[in-house]
Amino acid sequence: MSDTDATKRRRTVSWVVALSAIALVFDGYDLVVYGTVLPTLLADPSQLGHISAGQAGALGSYALVGELVGALAAGALGDWIGRRKIMLINLAWFSIGMGLTALTQNVTAFGFGRFFTGIGVGGLVATVGALVAEFAPAGRRNRLNAIVYSGVPAGGVLASLLAIVLADDVGWRGLFWVGALPIVLVLPLAIVKLPESAKWLAARGRDAEARAVSERTGVPLVPEPPVTDRVGFPALATRALAWPTALLGLMSFAGLLLTYGLNTWLPKIMSDNGYGKSYSLTFLLVLNLGAIVGGVLASLWADRAGAKRVVVTTFVLAAITLALLPLDLPLVALLLAVAVAGVGTIGTQVLIYGLVSNYYPTRARAAGVAWCAGFGRLGGIVGPVVGGLLVGAGLGGTTAFFIFAGVALAAALVTALVPRADHAGVPVAAVAPEPA
């Protein structure tokens, strides 16, 4: 590769990573902002009407149902119409949904707004992994995916900070209006700077366009396995991909159950355990900061040792720290445990997206990522509902944390069963280095 091509590629990859990460910051913002405003909505019926703990858990899941729909739709279309179009559509969709939610006046409309917003979020999460995997150099895929998907916990940090600093001034509606900003801040830049994937163009037989994009971006065209008649979701049902796809889906289910369950209910559980509002939000902030720092460091290890081994380790860390949270720990030790739990839950989900994005061939990559993001959303739906049922039953945080710890341990066992990606149609290089 010439120096000119290398410079073009660095510039292209930087734009793809930056725009993808910023898009997912707002995904993370949407994830956490509901947890930050939930105590206010529960305590003040004048906002949307009376909301029980069970209803609150259901409202937290409506966005997840939308994300399931959005992820599967993006997967169905992404391998056919391209990554770029899907990403641009969902940036606009998400922003409009957040604005509509800020205008709602009752519980029903609020729930619909959460569902509508979730469709755009799901489409983004299912698309950026495939996009980054097709632009990133082979030896940096895990770390670049981790940087991109760390946008999710970074958005959680942003939501937590804004809730602490601005909630009293702008109210919960103002916090939701912040989530509508991508349509004016990010979408115009993405339209200008985000290229289509040359690999996807080549896989669709559009060779002239693929070569033009490759020359313009400096991203080399790597020979792909021959395109069969199975593209997208049908390819996932082949003998080579069906079993690992099921296991990867279960991993994502567990990771998002833990992510959404903790982000939704951690402030409320800590508040019930005697910590004031600012402390409760601080725990949420520490959880997501731990996920960002730990997730990026773990991704560097994943590029050396293989993502599968690292995900097993971080799930085990989650199980241990979640089991420690109900104990009467000193505040410093408790904050450290929450940070490590963030690495093992939200940070692990970041690593799972990297593993999944690099596991599949181009013809099935968007569908594979979408399947894991979409099926994982079922876990995200279960997490807030389980937390709501336990809180509503007066069982408090102890039972919830032990259940979450058990889920993390089971997920570590599932991850250990994922086969090495050396089956037909998925080159070992796609996930190298990935020891058995």
Side-chain angles (χ1 to χ4, degrees):
M1 181 184 294
S2 68
D3 290 343
T4 301
D5 285 342
T7 300
K8 288 180 181 177
R9 186 175 191 181
R10 282 195 298 271
R11 185 181 301 117
T12 299
V13 171
S14 296
W15 273 113
V16 169
V17 169
L19 288 169
S20 298
I22 292 169
L24 291 190
V25 164
F26 287 93
D27 170 15
Y29 185 88
D30 175 71
L31 161 65
V32 173
V33 73
Y34 176 66
T36 67
V37 306
L38 181 58
T40 297
L41 298 179
L42 288 171
D44 186 0
S46 69
Q47 299 297 323
L48 295 173
H50 175 72
I51 301 174
S52 67
Q55 285 179 310
L59 285 172
S61 297
Y62 289 161
L64 276 298
V65 177
E67 289 181 33
L68 171 61
V69 173
L72 295 180
L77 296 173
D79 286 319
W80 291 97
I81 71 172
R83 309 355 180 168
R84 183 177 184 274
K85 290 179 183 176
I86 295 294
M87 187 164 172
L88 297 179
I89 289 169
N90 284 289
L91 274 170
W93 191 298
F94 164 82
S95 302
I96 293 169
M98 289 294 278
L100 290 175
T101 306
L103 296 171
T104 56
Q105 300 296 322
N106 56 62
V107 174
T108 301
F110 183 84
F112 175 78
R114 299 289 295 149
F115 170 78
F116 185 90
T117 304
I119 294 174
V121 172
L124 285 174
V125 173
T127 302
V128 297
L131 190 67
V132 173
E134 290 169 7
F135 280 95
R140 299 174 60 201
R141 286 175 179 164
N142 281 299
R143 74 189 72 176
L144 292 180
N145 264 287
I147 290 170
V148 168
Y149 280 101
S150 289
V152 177
V157 171
L158 178 64
S160 301
L161 288 173
L162 291 182
I164 292 171
V165 175
L166 295 179
D168 291 339
D169 296 320
V170 303
W172 70 268
R173 297 182 190 278
L175 294 177
F176 274 85
W177 276 116
V178 171
L181 292 177
I183 200 167
V184 294
L185 297 182
V186 185
L187 182 60
L189 196 58
I191 291 172
V192 175
K193 293 293 186 180
L194 188 68
E196 183 55 270
S197 164
K199 286 186 178 181
W200 175 80
L201 290 168
R204 298 300 297 155
R206 295 160 62 174
D207 295 333
E209 293 175 75
R211 286 192 295 272
V213 171
S214 177
E215 291 172 5
R216 187 173 71 252
T217 63
V219 178
L221 280 174
V222 179
E224 287 284 329
V227 176
T228 68
D229 59 347
R230 294 198 177 189
V231 175
F233 283 116
L236 303 185
T238 59
R239 180 180 298 178
L241 292 175
W243 174 241
T245 293
L247 294 174
L248 292 168
L250 288 173
M251 289 165 55
S252 187
F253 179 96
L256 287 171
L257 186 155
L258 297 171
T259 294
Y260 279 80
L262 286 174
N263 272 299
T264 299
W265 287 107
L266 187 63
K268 175 65 174 173
I269 290 172
M270 290 306 188
S271 177
D272 290 346
N273 286 348
Y275 294 95
K277 179 180 177 181
S278 60
Y279 269 119
S280 298
L281 292 174
T282 299
F283 286 123
L284 203 58
L285 180 62
V286 170
L287 182 80
N288 285 278
L289 281 174
I292 295 171
V293 176
V296 171
L297 291 177
S299 73
L300 299 177
W301 180 23
D303 275 329
R304 295 173 177 271
K308 172 181 163 181
R309 181 181 299 173
V310 180
V311 170
V312 171
T313 303
T314 53
F315 265 136
V316 171
L317 279 176
I320 294 170
T321 52
L322 288 169
L324 291 175
L325 289 183
L327 303 181
D328 188 19
L329 299 174
L331 181 59
V332 173
L334 182 59
L335 290 171
L336 179 61
V338 169
V340 177
V343 178
T345 55
I346 307 168
T348 297
Q349 186 62 28
V350 168
L351 295 172
I352 289 172
Y353 283 131
L355 172 59
V356 170
S357 299
N358 295 311
Y359 198 92
Y360 293 97
T362 298
R363 61 187 169 86
R365 182 169 286 125
V369 176
W371 154 254
C372 291
F375 186 76
R377 258 49 193 183
L378 295 176
I381 293 166
V382 170
V385 171
V386 167
L389 292 175
L390 292 173
V391 171
L395 296 177
T398 300
T399 303
F401 285 138
F402 284 148
I403 289 175
F404 290 150
V407 169
L409 188 59
L413 297 175
V414 169
T415 305
L417 296 175
V418 176
R420 190 177 183 219
D422 58 358
H423 36 67
V426 184
V428 175
V431 289
E434 184 65 24

